[in-house]
Each structure stands twice: as C-alpha cells, then as structure tokens.
Amino acid sequence: MLTSLARTLHAEACESNQRRLVVLSGSREAGLDAVYTALEAVEIPAEEITVISGRDGFRFERVSPQNSDDLLGQTRQAVVIDAHDRLEPNTLGRVVGAVDGGGLAFLLAPHLDEWATQRDQFDETLAVPPATVGEVTGRFRTRLVDSIRTHPGIAIVDVDTGQVEQTGTTDPQTPDDRAPTSDGSTSGVFGAEVYRRCLTQDQTRAVGALEQLTDAGTAVTLESDRGRGKSSAGGLAAGALAAGGADVVVTAPSLSSTRELFDRAEETLSGLNCSPTVHENPGVTRPSASQGEAIDDESGGRPDTLYRVDATGDGSISFQPPVVAAGAAGEPDAVIVDEAAALPVHLLESFLDATAVAFLTTVHGYEGTGRGFDIRFRERLRQSQYRVTDVELTDPIRYAADDPVERWSFRTLAMDATPAVELAVEDATPETVTYQHLEPSALAADEHRLRETMGLLALAHYQTEPNDLARILDAPNLEVSALLEQGHVVAVALLAREGGLPKSARDAIYEGSRIRGNMIPDLLTSQLRDPDGAAPSGTRVVRIAVHGAVRGRGLGSTLLDRIHADASDSDWVGTGFGATPRLVRFWQQNGYQTVHLSTTRNDASGEHSAIMLFPLSDAGVALTNRHARAFSDRIRDTLSDALRNVEPDVVREVIAAAADHRGVTLSDREWRSVVAAADGPGTYEADPGPFRELAVAAMAGNVDLDVDGERLLVQKVLQGHRWETVADTLGYSSTGAAKRALGSAYTDIVDRFGAGHPVVERDRARFRDRWRPRLSIETGQQ
C-alpha cells in the first residue's frame, strides 16, 4: 500500500513540478522502515536524500536539527524529518523549502491524535526556570496537526497499522513548459553565455538589472519568495563581474546560505573560460593604524574573508561576514548582500558606502521573516545617492507556482503573516486604542488576530522566526500585550517573565552555570557579579512593534505605560537590544536606565547590546540604582579598551540614560590638574583619570553641554583616540581647534562640579587669563 502511494505521489509531483508531503505517523521504528520502503519505491538517488535527525545510523546524509540551516540555499529530491525527539518550527521551515519540484518530504511523527500532548526536546527549551516542561502546552503542535489533516498535497499513513488515512493526491494540471529565456540574442554587458544560464524570464530581467553594478553609484534590489532564483541571479552576475576584472564581496547571515550563489558564480566563470580558483578562509583583517588606532600584534586578527573565488586575471568573489563587509563596504567594486531581510536595518545602511550594491531579499520564506528591509530600509535606500532599480521575481524555479507544500508551510508557520491593512489602523492614537493581554489560547483560536500579531512582529524585528510562533503559543514564561484599534493589532509587545530565582539557582549562576531564558538575571549575576541579581522578579520586553502607518504618535510609549501598570507582580521591567542612539533615547524617555553595554558586538546586528531597567518596586529600585551606578563607574575604563570604537552618539545616550547624578569625588590635587588644564597652563595628557570621571558625570545630564562637546569628550577623553583622528572625525579645522574646544568644555564642567574645591587655583588662572593669551589644553602651547 505504501509503495503504491509513494509512487503515485512522486509521479504526480514530477508531472506537476510540485512537491508532496508524506506524514508517517506512529512508532519511530515503524516510521523508519516505512520511509526506507517509500524511498526505494520511488528510486531517488541516495545523494539526493537528506535525513534531519538527532540520531545516527542512516544510510543517507544526516543533518542534525540544530544545523538544519546548512540546507538553506540547497535543494534535495527528498528530505526526511525525524520529529520523534524534536520538532522545531525553524527546522521545518528550512527543510521543507529545500525540496525541489518533483520531490517528496517525509515527516516521521508520533500518532497525530497523541502528538500535541507529548513533550519533546524542543519543548524543553520552552520551559524557562522556574517553569517545568510539564507547563509547556501543545497549541503549536495542535495547529500543525490540524493543518496536516486539512491541507491538500499531504498524505498521512499510520505506520503501525499500515492504514492510509489521507492520500495527499490532488490531480493537478500539467504546468505549461517554461518558455526559453534566451536564445543567445540576449547579451547585454554580461554577454550571451551568462544569459543562456537563466531559467526564467524573471531571472533574465534580474541579471539584466544587476548589469548596472558595473557602474558606480548604482543599487539594485531583487525581491522574491523562496525558490525563485534570486540567489542564482546574484551568482550569475557575480561571476560575470569577476570575469570582467571586478572585485566582488558577497555577504549574508551565514556562508552556508550563499552556496547556491557561489555555485552559479563558479559555473559562470568556467563558462567564460576564467578558470576559477577557490580559497577557503584565506585571510584576516587587522585594525588600521591610518584610522588612528594602535595595532596589537599579539591579538591576532579577526576572520575577514571566509571564502574567495579568484578568476583568471584580476577579478575575485569573496564572502565576508556582514559586520566585516559593512565596515569595508567602499573597498570592493561591488557588494552583493544575500538574504538582506535577515539583517537589521542599521547594518544594511552601512552598505550605502559601497561603490555599487545589490540587495537580494526573501519576502515570505524562512530567511525573510524580518521585513524591516521592505518597509524601513527601502525608504532609506531611496533617499540615498544611488540610482536604484527594483526587481521582483515571481516565477518559481524550484517548483510550480501553485505548489501545495509551499502554501502549507507558509500558512502553518505564519511566514506569510502580515500586519493589519493601513486603512484599518490609520486613525489610531493613544486616546482611541484599547489595551489587551492576548491569551495564547485565544490567539490559537483566532487566526486573523494571530496573523496580525506575527505579521507586526516580523515587520518590526529582523530576528522574528517561526520558533517565535511556538513560543507565543506554548511557552509558560511568555506573554503578549497589544494595543487594538477597532479590533486590529496596532502595537504589540512580546514579554518574558524572568528572575525570582531561588538561592540555589542564583548561586549556580554566580559560579558559572547558565539558566535558560533568564537573560537579564543571568547577566547581572554571572557577568556583573551580583549574587542577588536574579532574586527580584522581572518582565523583559523581548520585542515591541508599532504598525508602520501610525509610528511617531506615542503608541509605543502608551503600550509600555500599560505594561508597567499591568506588571504588578514584577520588581522591574527590562529590555535588551542592539544599541543605536534612537533606540536608547526611546527607552530613556520612557524611564529606563542603562545598566550594561556589552563589550562585544552582536554577530548579526553589528551592534553592542544595551540592557536597560525600569524599576517597579523598592527591590527594583535598589537593583536598578546599584547597576546603573556600577555601569557609570566601569564605562570610564571599558571605553578606552573594548568599547573604544563604539559610535560616540551611542556612548552619549547610554551614559545619559544611566541617570547617575551622584556627582564626582576628586582629590584637591586632581581638581588642581583639571582646573589648570581648563583655565591655565596645565595639560590634559598629564593626568587623564579625573578628566574621565568628570566627562561621565557631565554626560549623565549634570552639565548642559552641546552635542559636539559631548562627542569630543567621548572620542578624546573616554576612548582615547588621537587628536588627528578626533579633529577629522568631528569636523574641527585643526587639532588646535579641537583642543581649545575641549578646554572650553572643561571650563563649564569645572564651573558645575568644582565649587568649593580649587577656588584659588581657578581664580588665579582666570586672573592670569585676562593679561596674556589663554593657555588651554593644547599641551601648554599658545
């Protein structure tokens, strides 16, 4: 029976260029026997089969669920997903998308009637202490089973009884043959050999648009659902550019996701007789002394180019991680950003320094669940100096346009979820909206509201993923709060309960153990060495999003106000995010204080993460105050070391948000040094310590300095950059002008903090200043 069914489904899939999903329900052993039987029946080559499982012992390629992203950008004729030990939504989305047209996907699962009540390894990750896995619900699994039973193109077989519960046949119409894309008459700048490799008219148009990368000042965006050939188009263009002598940098969230692009690029170079030579992990980059930075020869270098293809002649194609590529965007002849939707908007903006740039982005697929690119970055791109060309690819290459498995995966994982239409929310204001806690059970029962919620989260945050759907529905520590306009979600926050841990758990964290799902208490305890940091209970704002049609009306702040009022059982509300000046300012304006700025950059965002707290109780006030003060104390030292290259405006904002108004404590000798440099013959370089303490105190809101003055304090006094670098970066006409500005800033700071300390020294300096040219901070020179 199974043999016949497998052959029928495979023949139907091949005839229609679609995929089919076969669910093998029952015991794992019987499921494995069944899948081997089915694969032998359809005679798919072993090298075209991949098994996704946490266990070994398969005759085919095996990939662990945790490494399923290795399949991004690749295709198989068959994949087998062993979901008995672990079913992770991210894995399901990645793997199903790797099946080619005419292929089959097999899902090995427990009996469907019992699946939702069983807990697996993924459920264990949702059980955040002090919750247990028994408190994890099965709503996502229920959703999955319902969709399996109602969607076309999915067969269900009970492998323990051999009963076929659902055949999955759809009797599709045979698709029209694809029209030839190029008969050799299409050549353009890249030449006919390149266009001959295009598989659809869409791809031909995309490659034609990418020809513009041969000209400086051009930008191209390719947008499509998964499986439309945008990465292949990027590879064809990269190969053609390198064949012409250009140096092309390719970047993406991971090297593995660019495999299709590099395969097409290497094939193109071979077709153009350019003999590609491949180098893996060929180089590192060290800081440049020309930037005014010291080079530490013992520190080694950071990985730079992870993969490079050299063409005959001078051209090359290199892969660099996003942060590295963004930092040197202007060096190559062209930059291609693959899966751009998976990168944060501010990192994408760094590529606007490139000579020519292309952004390839997925609309609904797994890689593109974050749609900040489409809504927020695209506007920034239009305002840039580039001549922008937009291309949308709609013709599928891997499978037919009406593929039922694609529709099923998009729907089940909410990858095609969108926010409410603008017309429904455009009149929303803080006065018209209603606040509501969205219960998981209600969301599971209300598909429309669930999709509005997921769509808004995906639109606002580049890291929103299918796993978040399961977390929202099943995790015991997560809550969703929202503002509704006429019943539509106009603002939403994903909240996590953290802290309130027993002493045994706190001691374990302090000694180096990790406690899952307690990000802020873990940080305060293990890294910042507060043995009581995990004792107060808190609520962390994991994500917050406001509909794009109504941003700037105060709805985000309104939602936070309601969350604060609603969190009666919490000592604090906190947040962690990639620090940008705008974001830090938003949270500060809503009463949050900085307690930490990470000393390393996030690999995906390229930013240093800021942690901020809003106290709700006496315990929360005590926790926030001691960590805000500790942050102000240690930032003086970390800014001259690990945080030396953080953007000055980020530093300004995080220091101001710490709201440390303790003032300063300097000895009389230190005060005399500061006054002498600000108003007399002294020098800053002779004793920089007290200058740093005063700089932090001044930027905490205690001195009314202008923006330029604060940036000067950051770059010179706190980060210790050379005068030449400071003057050039901040736009001073000379190093002397920068030094005079710093002296002036410290005159204001001394006036604010110096009362009662070095009065005689200050008055002597200012009397002397009346009678001779002022001796400033310029190392004693007039």
Side-chain angles (χ1 to χ4, degrees):
M1 180 70 74
L2 178 58
T3 297
S4 175
L5 176 63
R7 288 171 176 164
T8 299
L9 290 172
H10 189 234
E12 188 176 278
C14 290
E15 182 181 1
S16 61
N17 193 36
Q18 296 177 352
R19 290 92 52 80
R20 294 293 182 266
L21 173 65
V22 182
V23 179
L24 301 175
S25 169
S27 67
R28 184 175 185 273
E29 292 72 18
L32 289 173
D33 290 340
V35 79
Y36 283 131
T37 298
L39 289 170
E40 289 174 356
V42 297
E43 298 181 345
I44 293 176
E47 63 269 18
E48 284 293 331
I49 301 170
T50 295
V51 178
I52 309 300
S53 177
R55 303 191 193 184
D56 294 317
F58 297 95
R59 68 181 73 164
F60 311 114
E61 175 193 41
R62 184 190 72 88
V63 175
S64 70
Q66 292 88 343
N67 294 327
S68 60
D69 57 351
D70 289 348
L71 291 179
L72 292 176
Q74 300 186 53
T75 60
R76 298 288 187 274
Q77 290 185 29
V79 296
V80 179
I81 307 169
D82 178 5
H84 279 274
D85 294 332
R86 182 187 187 100
L87 175 75
E88 187 170 345
N90 279 2
T91 299
L92 192 61
R94 292 168 181 149
V95 173
V96 167
V99 181
D100 218 342
L104 299 176
F106 295 89
L107 178 63
L108 277 59
H111 285 290
L112 298 186
D113 289 338
E114 304 169 0
W115 201 6
T117 63
Q118 299 179 13
R119 303 280 72 85
D120 65 11
Q121 294 172 3
F122 177 68
D123 293 323
E124 292 174 4
T125 69
L126 304 182
V128 172
T132 65
V133 70
E135 298 174 67
V136 176
T137 67
R139 298 186 185 97
F140 174 77
R141 210 79 49 80
T142 298
R143 173 187 179 87
L144 176 63
V145 171
D146 288 346
S147 70
I148 286 172
R149 284 179 163 155
T150 58
H151 206 282
I154 301 177
I156 303 174
V157 179
D158 186 326
V159 294
D160 292 331
T161 65
Q163 180 183 358
V164 178
E165 299 179 5
Q166 192 168 288
T167 67
T169 57
T170 62
D171 191 25
Q173 294 182 346
T174 303
D176 295 333
D177 291 336
R178 286 197 187 101
T181 59
S182 177
D183 57 5
S185 59
T186 303
S187 58
V189 175
F190 288 162
E193 173 63 26
V194 174
Y195 284 96
R196 185 182 63 79
R197 299 174 181 275
C198 295
L199 298 180
T200 64
Q201 293 290 350
D202 268 358
Q203 202 171 54
T204 299
R205 289 191 301 107
V207 173
L210 291 170
E211 285 188 346
Q212 297 178 60
L213 298 182
T214 57
D215 297 327
T218 59
V220 179
T221 70
L222 302 187
E223 183 177 83
S224 75
D225 282 332
R226 195 175 179 188
R228 270 63 179 174
K230 68 181 183 309
S231 294
S232 293
L236 294 173
L241 289 166
D247 290 323
V248 181
V249 165
V250 174
T251 190
S254 68
L255 174 59
S256 62
S257 67
T258 64
R259 186 170 301 178
E260 180 77 12
L261 189 153
F262 274 98
D263 284 348
R264 298 292 82 75
E266 291 167 31
E267 290 172 7
T268 301
L269 286 170
S270 295
L272 295 173
N273 299 316
C274 288
S275 303
T277 303
V278 175
H279 308 272
E280 296 192 22
N281 203 22
V284 297
T285 292
R286 295 174 183 269
S288 170
S290 64
Q291 300 295 318
E293 314 301 336
I295 296 179
D296 180 1
D297 288 333
E298 296 181 357
S299 67
R302 62 181 178 181
D304 181 348
T305 300
L306 303 183
Y307 189 88
R308 189 178 76 237
V309 179
D310 290 335
T312 301
D314 297 329
S316 68
I317 310 166
S318 304
F319 177 86
Q320 295 178 353
V323 173
V324 176
E331 296 179 7
D333 298 301
V335 175
I336 297 177
V337 185
D338 200 9
E339 301 306 346
L343 299 178
V345 171
H346 69 274
L347 189 58
L348 293 173
E349 289 178 346
S350 299
F351 292 105
L352 299 184
D353 291 329
T355 303
V357 61
F359 298 97
L360 319 183
T361 178
T362 305
V363 182
H364 295 133
Y366 173 82
E367 305 95 323
T369 49
R371 290 193 275 289
F373 176 90
D374 199 42
I375 299 300
R376 295 160 66 186
F377 176 69
R378 195 176 290 278
E379 181 62 29
R380 174 70 179 86
L381 182 59
R382 291 192 189 101
Q383 296 171 356
S384 71
Q385 77 277 13
Y386 291 100
R387 301 183 300 279
V388 181
T389 299
D390 299 318
V391 178
E392 182 178 2
L393 291 78
T394 58
D395 296 340
I397 289 179
R398 297 182 189 172
Y399 40 77
D402 54 351
D403 177 71
V405 175
E406 180 181 72
R407 296 200 307 271
W408 168 76
S409 64
F410 280 6
R411 188 76 179 178
T412 303
L413 302 178
M415 290 194 294
D416 60 347
T418 57
V421 297
E422 290 189 12
L423 189 63
V425 299
E426 62 183 1
D427 295 328
T429 67
E431 293 71 34
T432 64
V433 296
T434 58
Y435 174 77
Q436 187 169 327
H437 175 65
L438 304 182
E439 292 289 345
S441 57
L443 280 174
D446 188 340
E447 183 69 16
H448 181 72
R449 181 160 292 176
L450 177 63
R451 292 175 68 79
E452 284 191 352
T453 300
M454 288 299 300
L456 191 51
L457 287 171
L459 180 69
H461 201 283
Y462 70 99
Q463 287 186 330
T464 300
E465 57 188 14
N467 278 1
D468 288 322
L469 175 62
R471 294 184 182 110
I472 287 171
L473 294 178
D474 293 331
N477 74 313
L478 289 186
E479 300 176 355
V480 179
S481 295
L483 298 178
L484 306 181
E485 171 72 6
Q486 301 296 318
H488 295 282
V489 179
V490 71
V492 64
L494 181 60
L495 310 173
R497 292 188 294 277
E498 297 188 350
L501 299 180
K503 187 176 187 304
S504 58
R506 302 199 304 269
D507 290 345
I509 299 173
Y510 193 81
E511 295 301 325
S513 298
R514 301 300 303 270
I515 301 295
R516 184 175 56 251
N518 281 265
M519 187 190 83
I520 292 178
D522 188 301
L523 170 78
L524 300 181
T525 305
S526 63
Q527 292 189 38
L528 303 185
R529 310 310 295 159
D530 183 350
D532 297 319
S537 60
T539 297
R540 177 166 63 91
V541 182
V542 180
R543 311 260 166 82
I544 185 168
V546 176
H547 198 291
V550 291
R551 287 200 186 106
R553 300 183 187 179
L555 291 169
S557 297
T558 299
L559 180 55
L560 285 176
D561 287 343
R562 297 303 302 269
I563 290 170
H564 298 161
D566 202 34
S568 58
D569 58 346
S570 292
D571 295 305
W572 51 264
V573 176
T575 184
F577 56 93
T580 66
R582 182 184 63 84
L583 283 178
V584 176
R585 197 176 309 118
F586 166 79
W587 290 101
Q588 181 197 20
Q589 291 169 349
N590 282 281
Y592 287 71
Q593 292 175 248
T594 311
V595 297
H596 185 62
L597 185 66
S598 67
T599 55
T600 58
R601 294 182 184 271
N602 181 283
D603 288 338
S605 70
E607 294 169 341
H608 295 264
S609 297
I611 305 297
M612 302 180 72
L613 296 179
F614 181 96
L616 296 174
S617 68
D618 290 344
V621 169
L623 181 75
T624 302
N625 284 347
R626 71 174 177 266
H627 280 283
R629 290 170 179 172
F631 168 76
S632 295
D633 290 339
R634 69 177 177 272
I635 195 71
R636 294 192 301 268
D637 299 323
T638 53
L639 281 171
S640 62
D641 188 7
L643 298 178
R644 192 165 186 248
N645 293 313
V646 178
E647 181 185 352
D649 284 347
V650 170
V651 176
R652 293 176 50 244
E653 297 294 347
V654 295
I655 291 176
D660 181 7
H661 301 301
R662 289 175 297 168
V664 295
T665 303
L666 301 181
S667 68
D668 285 345
R669 181 197 61 76
E670 289 173 325
W671 273 118
R672 287 194 295 272
S673 296
V674 172
V675 172
D679 288 302
T683 64
Y684 150 75
E685 289 86 350
D687 189 9
F691 289 87
R692 292 176 181 172
E693 183 167 348
L694 286 167
V696 172
M699 286 188 291
N702 299 304
V703 179
D704 187 19
L705 295 174
D706 60 23
V707 171
D708 289 339
E710 290 190 348
R711 289 171 178 162
L712 183 57
L713 292 179
V714 172
Q715 282 211 313
K716 182 56 193 171
V717 178
L718 295 175
Q719 293 181 326
H721 291 290
R722 296 176 178 175
W723 279 114
E724 293 79 6
T725 301
V726 172
D728 181 62
T729 303
L730 299 183
Y732 288 100
S733 60
S734 65
T735 58
K739 292 174 180 179
R740 285 189 293 272
L742 187 59
S744 177
Y746 272 97
T747 297
D748 294 337
I749 293 172
V750 168
D751 286 342
R752 167 64 178 83
F753 293 112
H757 291 284
V759 177
V760 174
E761 184 82 17
R762 181 177 54 193
D763 290 345
R764 179 187 300 117
R766 292 183 180 177
F767 176 79
R768 182 175 57 244
D769 192 38
R770 298 178 187 177
W771 298 102
R772 65 177 181 179
R774 184 169 177 235
L775 298 174
S776 73
I777 211 162
E778 297 181 65
T779 63
Q781 300 300 313
Q782 292 188 19

